[in-house]
Amino acid sequence: MTAQILDGKALGQKLRADFRQRAERLASQDARPGLAVILVGDDPASQVYVRNKVDACAQTGFYSERHVYSANVEAQTVFARIAELNADPKIHGILVQLPLPRHFDADAVLEAIAPDKDVDGFRAENLGALTRGRPCFIPCTPHGVMKFFEEAGIPIKGREAVVVGRSNIVGKPMALLLMHAGATVTVCHSQTRDLKAHCRRADILVVAVGKAKMITGDMIKPGAVVIDVGMNRLEDGKLCGDVDFASAKDLAAFITPVPGGVGPMTITMLLANTLESAERAANAGANLWRS
Ligand code: GUN
């Protein structure tokens, strides 16, 4: 079997064409969707992610601002900027690129974002709503993964799903979304005994660890859906995922490539959340939350 590729670039482009039209409709009411991105420090990967997010805004007809600070900036300066952005009607989404430098209390920074502009969905209140299955901003990466399933008609109900990685950004919300969709979910992490045995049971395997090629073909159940959230840079400068694509693609039924899989969908869902926030602001009073 050779896996069907889940192409995040193509699906992202398709969704963004609709977002562009909706953005233009809002712009004609003087309510163009606006995203502010805050970057602290000079992590090269974060710089690339932030540039891609800002570029995606421009290509989709969104307004965006980038606020960049050196790693030794006073936390107070960042909090003051967030307060300004919270009050700015041009801005419908605020994203603080993670990780922050060590001297920052990242939770405190995320909690400073106004709940209705928390387009990353990282505030505790938002994650609480997600846990309860209530309407909320769904964190962008797991949201993008769910879009792949929806688009490819991949059934979830009753299936065994294994999530490798328990981060607040991906692993935990991913597990919740799969659980709400009817999967039986196992979350594996650095203390898991016999990772291979868990992975081999998975009809749906989502890997978000940050270790190049750690999941090899012998860990994959034939016919599985394999979602690779990893983005690692090899010594030769090439990008690769957490899954060894070469050995996995002959076993999986569906697989995401790296690059070009989950990455573009994360940005697409950031645009989706920002657009939703802008539409809510423009229709204040109307309930536009997803059911
Ligand atoms: N760092 C890695 N992924 C993300 C993300 O989705 N959002 C933010 N804010 N930071 C990240």
Side-chain angles (χ1 to χ4, degrees):
M1 179 187 306
T2 296
Q4 194 172 319
I5 304 293
L6 296 169
D7 182 341
K9 235 173 145 177
L11 178 54
Q13 287 307 328
K14 181 176 131 181
L15 295 171
R16 290 181 203 189
D18 167 58
F19 298 169
R20 171 172 265 288
Q21 287 188 356
R22 286 161 62 189
E24 289 312 324
R25 214 172 300 141
L26 285 168
S28 70
Q29 302 162 34
D30 214 12
R32 187 181 291 284
L35 176 71
V37 183
I38 296 175
L39 173 64
V40 185
D42 51 10
D43 177 67
S46 291
Q47 286 172 339
V48 173
Y49 294 144
V50 165
R51 190 171 61 235
N52 289 344
K53 288 168 185 176
V54 169
D55 287 353
C57 282
Q59 288 156 12
T60 318
F62 289 25
Y63 170 74
S64 71
E65 291 179 1
R66 179 176 6 196
H67 299 275
V68 180
Y69 300 96
S70 67
N72 57 9
V73 67
E74 297 253 1
Q76 216 36 53
T77 306
V78 176
F79 281 112
R81 176 64 72 189
I82 292 173
E84 270 174 35
L85 295 167
N86 282 342
D88 185 341
K90 292 193 304 302
I91 298 299
H92 305 98
I94 302 170
L95 178 146
V96 177
Q97 186 65 29
L98 300 176
L100 284 167
R102 276 166 189 269
H103 67 281
F104 275 84
D105 176 349
D107 284 343
V109 172
L110 296 176
E111 292 301 319
I113 298 170
D116 59 346
K117 298 190 179 186
D118 175 28
V119 287
D120 253 333
F122 290 168
R123 282 176 51 108
E125 179 184 324
N126 197 82
L127 286 172
L130 185 67
T131 306
R132 286 190 161 175
R134 303 287 306 161
C136 62
F137 287 120
I138 301 175
C140 305
T141 299
H143 196 179
V145 173
M146 296 305 284
K147 276 279 167 205
F148 272 130
F149 298 149
E150 187 184 312
E151 181 71 14
I154 293 168
I156 298 175
K157 229 175 256 178
R159 301 185 88 190
E160 294 289 332
V162 172
V163 178
V164 186
R166 55 177 160 174
S167 69
N168 291 328
I169 296 180
V170 184
K172 286 180 200 164
M174 187 77 252
L176 286 168
L177 290 169
L178 285 163
M179 187 168 60
H180 291 320
T184 301
V185 183
T186 303
V187 179
C188 298
H189 46 75
S190 53
Q191 266 88 59
T192 297
R193 283 181 284 140
D194 206 349
L195 176 64
K196 181 173 171 176
H198 287 289
C199 292
R200 279 193 63 84
R201 282 192 306 103
D203 301 312
I204 296 170
L205 179 63
V206 182
V207 191
V209 173
K211 268 198 193 157
K213 302 185 186 184
M214 71 171 286
I215 302 293
T216 44
D218 58 324
M219 301 168 82
I220 290 170
K221 176 176 174 177
V225 179
V226 178
I227 305 290
D228 190 350
V229 180
M231 177 70 81
N232 310 289
R233 199 168 283 282
L234 298 172
E235 274 176 15
D236 62 5
K238 286 197 182 129
L239 291 174
C240 82
D242 292 349
V243 176
D244 177 38
F245 187 85
S247 61
K249 74 175 191 322
D250 295 330
L251 287 148
F254 292 91
I255 191 166
T256 58
V258 177
V262 172
M265 287 305 293
T266 295
I267 297 182
T268 300
M269 301 327 287
L270 172 66
L271 296 172
N273 285 353
T274 305
L275 178 62
E276 183 169 311
S277 176
E279 287 177 342
R280 292 184 81 218
N283 295 279
N287 184 1
L288 285 180
W289 285 109
R290 253 172 250 104
S291 57

